Amino acid sequence: MINKNSRFHFLLLPIVVSVFGCFIAYSASVKRVYYKVYYEHGDAIALFRDTIKLINAKTLTIQPDSKLTLLEGDVILQQGNTVFKADKAVKNDSLNVFEAWGHVHINQNDTTNIYSDHLKYFGDQQLAKLDGNVKLTDGQATLTTPSLDYDMST
């Protein structure tokens, strides 16, 4: 004979197991990479690395030996509020860097736009090294130069 409480436990067990399994799967998928540790008033403050994310590419080729990802065709990458667009790019996830060629466009916080032919971007330092027909606009002024080192964090 099965009473009402045992039926409730029989139905509750699969739900609890499913929720616990989802929690375990989510915990395993969250990748946290510590970037730097700063000391403030004797306490350690750990900051998480802001990785460069791939948003779009028509062709993606992964080279496991060199840990490089080759991206071609309407490449869109993002780090925080900054969006990078180019015709081609080579991304190194282990170093959090990429290099891009052809119709390079950086849009930072929807206010600053930078255009060039070539870009080397260092994600941990948030440093963009641009060359070839560089143009920077912020809505108030326009700067044109053959090359530019731009600190994205300031």
Side-chain angles (χ1 to χ4, degrees):
M1 180 170 185
I2 299 175
N3 63 27
K4 289 182 181 179
N5 286 339
S6 63
R7 275 191 265 172
F8 174 73
H9 292 295
F10 180 73
L11 294 174
L12 185 61
L13 181 63
I15 294 170
V16 170
V17 170
S18 296
V19 169
F20 185 70
C22 290
F23 175 74
I24 295 291
Y26 174 76
S27 298
S29 70
V30 175
K31 182 180 177 185
R32 292 187 174 142
V33 180
Y34 289 99
Y35 173 49
K36 291 182 180 177
V37 176
Y38 293 95
Y39 291 94
E40 184 176 320
H41 308 292
D43 297 326
I45 301 170
L47 300 177
F48 293 106
R49 183 182 204 183
D50 189 7
T51 58
I52 300 164
K53 296 166 188 64
L54 172 62
I55 304 300
N56 185 61
K58 287 186 178 176
T59 306
L60 177 131
T61 306
I62 298 173
Q63 296 181 337
D65 296 341
S66 62
K67 298 180 183 178
L68 297 178
T69 304
L70 308 176
L71 308 163
E72 290 191 62
D74 297 328
V75 176
I76 302 174
L77 301 167
Q78 182 176 7
Q79 184 182 38
N81 291 329
T82 304
V83 176
F84 305 89
K85 295 181 181 181
D87 294 336
K88 293 192 295 187
V90 176
K91 185 172 178 271
N92 185 326
D93 287 327
S94 62
L95 297 177
N96 202 32
V97 300
F98 73 88
E99 191 166 357
W101 298 268
H103 300 99
V104 175
H105 176 206
I106 301 173
N107 179 278
Q108 185 180 30
N109 297 322
D110 290 330
T111 56
T112 303
N113 288 286
I114 308 170
Y115 304 91
S116 75
D117 297 332
H118 176 250
L119 163 68
K120 286 183 184 178
Y121 184 72
F122 304 89
D124 291 343
Q125 296 84 11
Q126 295 184 2
L127 178 65
K129 293 182 172 276
L130 302 112
D131 60 86
N133 301 310
V134 179
K135 181 172 92 171
L136 182 144
T137 63
D138 66 357
Q140 297 177 3
T142 299
L143 168 73
T144 56
T145 181
S147 63
L148 176 69
D149 290 355
Y150 186 76
D151 185 349
M152 308 289 285
S153 64
T154 57

